[in-house]
Amino acid sequence: MPRLQPVPREEMTDPLVVFFYDQLFSPDRAGTATGSPGDWWTVFALDPKIFRHAVKGFQLYRESALDPVLRELGQTRAGWARQSQFVFSQHCKQLRALGVPEEKVRAVAHWQVSDVFGELERAVLAYTDGLVLDGGRVHDEVFAVLRAHLPDEQILELTYATCLYEMHATMARALRLEFDDRPDPIVEVPAPEGYGMRDIADEVATEVAAELTVRREEPTTRRSVT
């Protein structure tokens, strides 16, 4: 379950929230048509002002002059880099909807060693990693390739859309929304039964020290040379 309480349909009062709910959900299907639970929509419905702002953001980037394939490469890679299964999964589907070949969709996760992307696509993916993984630290050579292919307006649009979906990826993970409703994988693996409060590092260090002492005290054996 998400960490915030979803709003049920009967409690929705904002017309835009109700419109999207009725478009995305169906009485004869659990979740949305893409297979997601749909709780991004019902949790964001907690505050209609935030809901409207988010939806306007979706519309804004879809009206941009930027090639939608480049936009989706950035959004998909942002999902991967921010470790959001929800954002990554949804935008893999959107890449396919735009006619991107399956080999390219699968290669977004390992673009650095793939030869299926062109120069501009690789620059978009590298730029995304700079935005998401390096906090905006982008090498001049990466930016130079973007400028060789895109006008400034479209670079701004790419930057905005990519950063927007880094935000959505981060929020989905923090609030446990959609496919990001999963346990944190980084947990302690329990020690075997009976391990107790042992200090294994101290035990090993003591044994190593004792072994080195024994080796130093052993006489050196030399072979006779004939």
Side-chain angles (χ1 to χ4, degrees):
M1 290 290 293
R3 284 172 161 166
L4 301 181
Q5 183 62 44
V7 179
R9 172 65 174 80
E10 60 272 16
E11 295 180 15
M12 294 177 179
T13 56
D14 185 88
L16 189 65
V17 173
V18 171
F19 170 80
F20 273 96
Y21 185 95
D22 290 344
Q23 289 293 312
L24 293 165
F25 294 88
S26 172
D28 58 356
R29 181 188 64 233
T32 70
T34 64
S36 70
D39 53 38
W40 185 97
W41 302 92
T42 54
V43 166
F44 269 63
L46 284 165
D47 190 327
K49 296 186 299 296
I50 292 177
F51 186 99
R52 286 174 172 271
H53 187 270
V55 171
K56 286 179 181 178
F58 301 153
Q59 187 62 31
L60 174 66
Y61 75 70
R62 287 184 176 274
E63 294 174 349
S64 76
L66 180 68
D67 181 345
V69 171
L70 298 179
R71 180 197 73 222
E72 289 295 330
L73 284 175
Q75 291 169 311
T76 306
R77 180 66 188 180
W80 171 269
R82 191 46 67 219
Q83 302 176 47
S84 168
Q85 193 165 27
F86 174 54
V87 171
F88 179 69
S89 295
Q90 298 302 88
H91 289 275
C92 282
K93 297 175 179 66
Q94 191 59 35
L95 282 171
R96 293 188 188 96
L98 292 170
V100 175
E102 187 66 25
E103 60 179 354
K104 278 193 174 183
V105 177
R106 294 185 178 277
V108 168
H110 55 88
W111 70 267
Q112 301 94 328
V113 294
S114 173
D115 60 1
V116 301
F117 298 108
E119 181 184 58
L120 177 55
E121 292 171 330
R122 291 180 63 81
V124 166
L125 292 163
Y127 186 54
T128 300
D129 283 359
L131 293 172
V132 178
L133 297 177
D134 296 326
R137 186 184 184 192
V138 177
H139 198 282
D140 286 345
E141 293 297 322
V142 173
F143 209 85
V145 176
L146 293 179
R147 299 202 77 168
H149 292 271
L150 299 174
D152 286 6
E153 176 190 358
Q154 292 184 25
I155 296 175
L156 178 60
E157 291 169 349
L158 172 65
T159 307
Y160 182 85
T162 302
C163 291
L164 177 66
Y165 271 80
E166 181 192 6
M167 180 197 74
H168 282 303
T170 299
M171 291 184 69
R173 293 185 65 201
L175 300 179
R176 297 276 178 91
L177 301 177
E178 305 287 358
F179 302 136
D180 290 316
D181 181 14
R182 52 200 172 99
D184 195 313
I186 309 303
V187 296
E188 180 188 4
V189 178
E193 186 176 354
Y195 182 85
M197 302 292 289
R198 291 171 58 191
D199 185 344
I200 191 68
D202 184 63
E203 292 177 15
V204 171
T206 301
E207 292 175 5
V208 169
E211 178 66 18
L212 291 175
T213 300
V214 169
R215 289 179 180 274
R216 283 197 300 269
E217 293 174 353
E218 289 179 348
T220 304
T221 304
R222 298 183 179 180
R223 295 181 180 178
S224 58
V225 179
T226 57

